[in-house]
Amino acid sequence: TLIKIRILEFPEKINFLEGKDVFLVAATLRPETMYGQTNCFVLPEGVYGVFEMFNGEYFICSERSMNGMAYQDMTKEFGKFIKVGEISGKELIGTPVKAPLCQYDRVYVLPLVTITMDKGTGVVTSVPSDAPDDFAAFNEYKNDPKKREFYGIDAKWVEGIDVVPIIDIPEFGNTIAAKLCTDMKVGGQKDKQKLEQAKDIAYKQGFNFGVFIIGTHAGKKVKEVKDVIKQEMIDRNE
């Protein structure tokens, strides 16, 4: 599933597109969790293309993923794409964006060093309540000034933005990612082995036993409305 995250203020490199509908597009297996977005992640060293889509919108993502989209009737000509610009992940960091279903009017693009440009779109939407990888990185930036300084993060990009509880899971509470990262003593966003284990637990528990506590489907089980929420977002062109 592709989530369209709207650019609110344009980085200098792509300000020639001001006034257009320009989106960072994130690939996710969990569109139903978009209520809990606190930011968007890019790879600082990543190179992102800016592409014109069939409907006049512009997508920012890896060229590899756009090549795949060109074969899914998302570009003007089947199997081909129009690239209008290029921007690095570093140049995107700090960009204010508006994400669908997000509880905040604007959140910011932050760096995530574990992103691989040959998987998904190179853009990751961050839901630290239910995704351990997202929690580990967001928590670092929120609570460690040295980490913020190292990655060039302005405190205002994380201040006043807190983890949003969206799904209650028996025995894990309503922020399973935070609980798992704490219980498993995850040492930050680079602690790959523990994060992989935590992710496996969080996703299985959330899907099989989770109940929404937010949005129009509050009180319903995740596995019953996951596809419904996804379809609602498709219908709204999100």
Side-chain angles (χ1 to χ4, degrees):
T1 305
L2 282 181
I3 304 299
K4 295 163 65 177
I5 302 168
R6 183 182 291 275
I7 300 278
L8 294 178
E9 293 176 16
F10 287 72
E12 188 177 343
K13 189 79 171 281
I14 56 169
N15 62 12
F16 65 94
L17 288 172
E18 277 201 53
K20 307 283 188 184
D21 292 321
V22 184
F23 302 91
L24 283 159
V25 284
T28 182
L29 296 172
R30 305 195 66 194
E32 78 282 2
T33 67
M34 293 302 100
Y35 293 102
Q37 291 172 95
T38 58
N39 62 283
C40 172
F41 286 125
V42 295
L43 180 68
E45 296 78 34
V47 177
Y48 294 84
V50 186
F51 305 95
E52 186 177 353
M53 308 308 289
F54 77 94
N55 57 0
E57 294 176 345
Y58 293 85
F59 283 6
I60 298 174
C61 56
S62 67
E63 189 160 319
R64 175 191 164 279
S65 63
M66 180 52 58
N67 189 54
M69 290 181 223
Y71 288 92
Q72 298 177 60
D73 293 322
M74 297 175 72
T75 52
K76 291 186 176 181
E77 189 177 347
F78 185 80
K80 296 182 179 179
F81 55 80
I82 301 169
K83 184 177 180 180
V84 301
E86 204 169 78
I87 188 168
S88 71
K90 196 170 185 179
E91 291 168 308
L92 285 165
I93 292 169
T95 300
V97 294
K98 172 63 178 169
L101 296 181
C102 180
Q103 304 305 294
Y104 298 101
D105 288 333
R106 65 168 51 196
V107 292
Y108 294 86
V109 178
L110 299 176
L112 185 66
V113 296
T114 54
I115 290 175
T116 55
M117 295 299 285
D118 59 356
K119 185 178 180 182
T121 61
V123 178
V124 174
T125 182
S126 173
V127 183
S129 56
D130 290 73
D133 289 275
D134 300 347
F135 177 81
F138 184 69
N139 195 48
E140 275 186 351
Y141 301 150
K142 199 162 173 60
N143 298 308
D144 189 339
K146 288 184 179 177
K147 283 281 166 65
R148 289 200 297 270
E149 186 181 353
F150 181 79
Y151 289 111
I153 295 167
D154 192 315
K156 72 179 183 182
W157 302 340
V158 290
E159 283 175 352
I161 298 176
D162 298 311
V163 173
V164 180
I166 58 173
I167 295 168
D168 190 60
I169 304 169
E171 296 179 34
F172 291 94
N174 57 22
T175 52
I176 187 171
K179 178 169 174 52
L180 287 171
C181 285
T182 302
D183 290 352
M184 296 172 69
K185 296 182 171 60
V186 171
Q189 61 181 291
K190 293 182 179 180
D191 199 345
K192 286 187 178 181
Q193 193 171 354
K194 285 183 181 177
L195 284 171
E196 199 60 44
Q197 293 171 349
K199 179 180 177 179
D200 190 51
I201 296 168
Y203 282 23
K204 285 178 180 175
Q205 292 291 325
F207 179 76
N208 289 307
F209 306 108
V211 175
F212 278 101
I213 58 173
I214 198 170
T216 55
H217 297 286
K220 298 176 184 175
K221 293 179 180 178
V222 171
K223 60 183 175 183
E224 291 174 355
V225 292
K226 178 185 175 89
D227 290 336
V228 175
I229 294 171
K230 175 181 171 180
Q231 188 57 51
E232 287 173 352
M233 293 174 73
I234 291 170
D235 293 343
R236 292 194 298 266
N237 190 32
E238 295 174 338

